[in-house]
Amino acid sequence: MNPVAPAAEVADLVSRRPAGQSLQAPFYVDEEFFTLDIEAVFARHWLFVAAEAELPEPGDYVTVTLGSYSVIVVRDDDEGVRAFHNVCRHRGARILDEGRGSVGNIVCGYHRWTYGVDGRLLHAESQAPGFAPSCFSLRSVHARTVAGLVFICLAEEPPADFDEVAARIEPYLAPHNLAKAKVATQIDLVEHGNWKPTMENNRECYHCTGPPELQTCYFPIYGYAEQDVPPALRPAYERFQRADADARATYESLGLPYAAIEGLDTRATGFRIQREPLDLAGESFTPDGTAACTRLLADFPTARLGRRSFHLQPNAWFHFLADHAITFAVIPLGPDRTLVRTTWLVHADAVEGLDYDLDTLTKVWKATNEQDAVFVNRYVTRLKAHLEQKR
Ligand code: FES
């Protein structure tokens, strides 16, 4: 059982949280703070929930649970993506129990109220004269797609700055043609820790110099200003400079934007995006840096495009390469349980065993996620022990 902080303590800690520093321990372990996170963060902001490739056909759906909210994200008959509260308009039953699937209509198992994939109530038995089905459509949740990625927002009025964010990120993402990709595989990892250290680890890039699998792909100079690079890393720095110059020339010749755009602290929809070279062969996240999939995502003349990395607060990060893309969705399940859903996307016509091998494709980030999960658990376990002593 997780500790429950009194409401006054929650309000006090929130009001006194120092800017630019780590939050205090209760933010990472207490039930009350988890509830607050859902309402203040996850119910108000745009969230990444799926790649469009997870919903290739009309009626394909995924469900997403966030605290007391459950949302159906479904491909409609016009091939758009819609989202609805997963709550029947009859007596409020949960409608779809599975995490994903495909339906003709959305049918509540309790009394068989039947909704179209556009949310309209199509059938309800034994209703009183004058019953107006049009008044009982499923309640909508805001949904939109950007370059093959699906986002939802539970707020009645979503943060307005997402339009600007979408306009800025789309030129970085669109060349990878993600709307025409397919899911090679997806791995759900439940971390035994709070969602905040999961996101912090990614943003702060602790693992850039940690997991050996990832370290081989990144130049080992991450975080160093030129004047601070230690002598032992000068050769790596010079290798990076050469690769960076080559990469910029390639990006410019192909019209691929690469400059970093960072808007993490000053806006409702915090994000960071850039394109940069990878070490070794510079093509992909594989042990030797060569492409994991011989069929590239788009008609690129080279696989050596490095990585286009994109971090989106509060719950996602992404890597787009020439040969595949990886999406990471972070879904809080409880104060000390967090789902990290990682999806590997390849060209729709790529063939497993011929164009790609799943082990090679997933090796680097599967290992990195597993190592991160250990760090998150270690961190939260220590915080819990600290709080128990204190209380
Ligand atoms: Fe869904 Fe009755 S609660 S049909």
Side-chain angles (χ1 to χ4, degrees):
M1 178 85 179
N2 281 77
V4 178
E9 184 185 326
V10 171
D12 180 51
L13 286 173
V14 169
S15 69
R16 291 194 293 109
R17 69 191 193 283
Q21 295 182 29
S22 290
L23 296 166
Q24 295 190 46
F27 283 85
Y28 295 93
V29 296
D30 285 1
E31 288 279 351
E32 291 295 313
F33 280 95
F34 177 72
T35 303
L36 183 62
D37 288 346
I38 295 296
E39 292 305 323
V41 179
F42 285 84
R44 289 194 191 174
H45 290 87
W46 284 99
L47 308 173
F48 168 70
V49 290
E52 279 202 76
E54 295 176 60
L55 310 165
E57 301 293 334
D60 290 347
Y61 73 86
V62 296
T63 58
V64 184
T65 300
L66 294 154
S68 61
Y69 301 94
S70 177
V71 178
I72 301 167
V73 182
V74 62
R75 177 81 67 184
D76 68 19
D77 291 333
D78 296 325
E79 307 218 332
V81 175
R82 297 177 185 243
F84 305 103
H85 287 279
N86 189 10
V87 177
C88 185
R89 294 298 309 282
H90 181 214
R91 290 192 191 160
R94 177 73 50 91
I95 305 173
L96 297 177
D97 291 324
E98 301 298 325
R100 66 181 59 243
S102 190
V103 291
N105 291 312
I106 300 170
V107 181
C108 177
Y110 198 172
H111 311 100
R112 311 294 297 172
W113 277 34
T114 300
Y115 306 87
V117 289
D118 58 0
R120 285 182 305 128
L121 179 62
L122 302 177
H123 174 74
E125 276 184 26
S126 308
Q127 297 307 312
F131 174 76
S134 60
C135 296
F136 292 91
S137 297
L138 292 176
R139 293 209 186 280
S140 292
V141 172
H142 295 281
R144 61 182 296 172
T145 61
V146 181
L149 305 175
V150 181
F151 302 87
I152 64 167
C153 183
L154 285 155
E156 281 189 20
E157 292 202 14
D161 69 346
F162 196 78
D163 285 342
E164 182 212 336
V165 173
R168 299 183 79 180
I169 63 175
E170 188 144 24
Y172 285 75
L173 309 183
H176 293 264
N177 207 20
L178 213 59
K180 302 291 181 206
K182 71 170 183 180
V183 176
T185 192
Q186 183 174 76
I187 296 178
D188 281 355
L189 174 67
V190 176
E191 296 189 352
H192 296 278
N194 189 266
W195 68 276
K196 290 189 275 303
T198 301
M199 290 301 291
E200 289 166 1
N201 282 1
N202 179 262
R203 179 76 289 278
E204 295 162 351
C205 205
Y206 288 151
H207 53 227
C208 297
T209 53
E213 290 81 0
L214 190 62
Q215 204 177 358
T216 58
C217 301
Y218 288 164
F219 292 93
I221 52 160
Y222 192 90
Y224 286 107
E226 181 174 0
Q227 66 275 12
D228 299 328
V229 175
L233 291 181
R234 287 311 302 187
Y237 187 75
E238 285 158 17
R239 192 167 75 246
F240 165 74
Q241 282 189 308
R242 287 193 298 276
D244 195 43
D246 285 352
R248 285 168 190 250
T250 303
Y251 302 156
E252 282 168 14
S253 72
L254 297 177
L256 298 173
Y258 60 88
I261 308 175
E262 180 150 334
L264 284 168
D265 301 324
T266 56
R267 56 175 62 242
T269 307
F271 76 105
R272 185 179 198 284
I273 194 164
Q274 72 178 123
R275 184 184 293 278
E276 60 189 344
L278 289 169
D279 205 352
L280 304 173
E283 297 176 352
S284 199
F285 282 119
T286 54
D288 63 359
T290 58
C293 184
T294 55
R295 180 79 194 247
L296 302 186
L297 280 172
D299 192 17
F300 298 124
T302 174
R304 197 159 183 257
L305 296 180
R307 64 174 178 136
R308 205 282 305 116
S309 58
F310 171 35
H311 177 96
L312 183 76
Q313 292 173 340
N315 86 316
W317 67 93
F318 312 83
H319 291 290
F320 282 41
L321 306 118
D323 66 325
H324 72 281
I326 322 172
T327 69
F328 305 78
V330 173
I331 307 293
L333 303 176
D336 54 6
R337 289 179 74 238
T338 300
L339 170 65
V340 177
R341 172 165 291 168
T342 307
T343 307
W344 285 263
L345 300 153
V346 295
H347 190 284
D349 296 333
V351 178
E352 185 185 348
L354 188 64
D355 297 308
Y356 65 94
D357 165 71
L358 271 186
D359 283 344
T360 308
L361 184 73
T362 59
K363 184 180 174 72
V364 169
W365 275 100
K366 187 168 176 286
T368 303
N369 284 350
E370 287 167 358
Q371 289 154 20
D372 258 6
V374 172
F375 290 136
V376 167
N377 180 247
R378 192 179 298 169
Y379 181 51
V380 172
T381 300
R382 189 190 66 76
L383 291 179
K384 276 185 175 177
H386 167 72
L387 275 179
E388 271 167 27
Q389 273 179 355
K390 223 171 122 192
R391 283 172 171 163

